[in-house]
Amino acid sequence: MSKKVTKTVRLDFKPVQVTLEVNNNIPTEQLLRLAEEAVIQQIKQKRTGYSYSVEEEASLSLNEARPGLLVRRKDTGEIAVIYDIKPRNKYPIGIVMKGIKRLKVMPIALEKVNEEELIEKAVFGRQHILNEDADDWYEGHTGYLKNQKEFIPVVITKRTKSKMDVYPLTIHTDKNVTFYTLKPNNYPLLKDHREE
């Protein structure tokens, strides 16, 4: 009896064009349904129009990716934090790793992390910053947000001259997570380490 394993198959579709004969006043939704069916038939018959790759284990999907999510790089096993997502880019996910190494990757290069205790290991602070702005925080930095008496592990996802967005670190992929918008007078609430 063969053992069940998890595999992720990625299909990258090239632009597909189909020609349909339809009535002039066909609703757009119906036209799209007919086009989708024609594309499926074309792919079944010719097996062209896409390239593929097969990965062992379950990969992260673009729909599951969200700022603050802990992930593991499949190639190195390294723990990383998602700080940027741009679905239309060739490499849509921005991750940061220990040593403030930033990298843009495809979702298939990442897998989800299920261990809650790894959140603390993903707070890298502002390590190895050697420039004059060593007191500043930038996109991709991880640290703690002091909120009353607790320290919340966070990642900086966006920074402008007047504000900074920070997301809590998590292992959960739900999209309804609160993020914090900090004004410059709140920046001192960000800490590299937990403080007593």
Side-chain angles (χ1 to χ4, degrees):
M1 179 155 84
S2 120
K3 179 183 165 192
K4 293 217 178 219
V5 295
T6 304
K7 292 186 183 262
T8 300
V9 179
R10 176 187 171 85
L11 300 175
D12 289 312
F13 288 89
K14 298 170 185 155
V16 179
Q17 180 174 314
V18 292
T19 304
L20 304 170
E21 285 190 33
V22 295
N23 292 335
N24 190 31
N25 57 352
I26 188 170
T28 303
E29 294 83 26
Q30 188 178 354
L31 181 62
L32 287 174
R33 269 195 304 275
L34 291 171
E36 288 169 356
E37 290 170 12
V39 167
I40 290 168
Q41 288 306 316
Q42 183 177 337
I43 290 171
K44 280 182 181 179
Q45 291 169 0
K46 299 179 184 174
R47 293 210 177 203
T48 60
Y50 65 89
S51 59
Y52 71 92
S53 65
V54 178
E55 297 282 332
E56 299 297 324
E57 301 299 323
S59 294
L60 182 75
S61 73
L62 192 55
N63 285 339
E64 293 172 312
R66 63 166 224 68
L69 184 67
L70 261 64
V71 290
R72 181 176 284 114
R73 286 180 57 186
K74 287 184 174 183
D75 59 346
T76 64
E78 203 171 1
I79 297 297
V81 177
I82 296 175
Y83 74 93
D84 187 34
I85 302 169
K86 293 192 171 75
R88 294 180 184 214
N89 289 0
K90 183 175 181 180
Y91 298 101
I93 298 178
I95 59 173
V96 62
M97 294 146 292
K98 190 171 186 166
I100 317 291
K101 296 186 293 184
R102 293 183 187 98
L103 189 62
K104 298 285 186 173
V105 297
M106 300 283 289
I108 201 164
L110 305 171
E111 60 188 11
K112 294 180 267 186
V113 171
N114 295 319
E115 301 90 359
E116 191 91 35
E117 63 273 9
L118 291 178
I119 289 177
E120 289 296 320
K121 292 184 179 181
V123 180
F124 311 125
R126 293 170 290 171
Q127 308 166 351
H128 311 297
I129 298 176
L130 301 174
N131 64 26
E132 65 277 358
D133 291 335
D135 292 331
D136 241 337
W137 292 84
Y138 295 101
E139 292 176 7
H141 285 160
T142 57
Y144 293 96
L145 176 63
K146 187 170 188 222
N147 185 3
Q148 296 171 348
K149 293 184 179 180
E150 67 177 329
F151 287 86
I152 302 166
V154 294
V155 63
I156 287 71
T157 60
K158 183 178 181 183
R159 176 165 179 173
T160 65
K161 290 181 181 181
S162 61
K163 70 180 181 87
M164 186 183 318
D165 291 341
V166 298
Y167 278 76
L169 300 188
T170 184
I171 61 168
H172 305 291
T173 56
D174 56 327
K175 295 284 188 184
N176 300 324
V177 175
T178 304
F179 69 95
Y180 305 93
T181 298
L182 303 179
K183 301 288 183 190
N185 62 328
N186 298 125
Y187 294 175
L189 296 175
L190 290 170
K191 309 290 181 188
D192 287 302
H193 309 284
R194 286 185 184 273
E195 297 174 356
E196 297 303 321

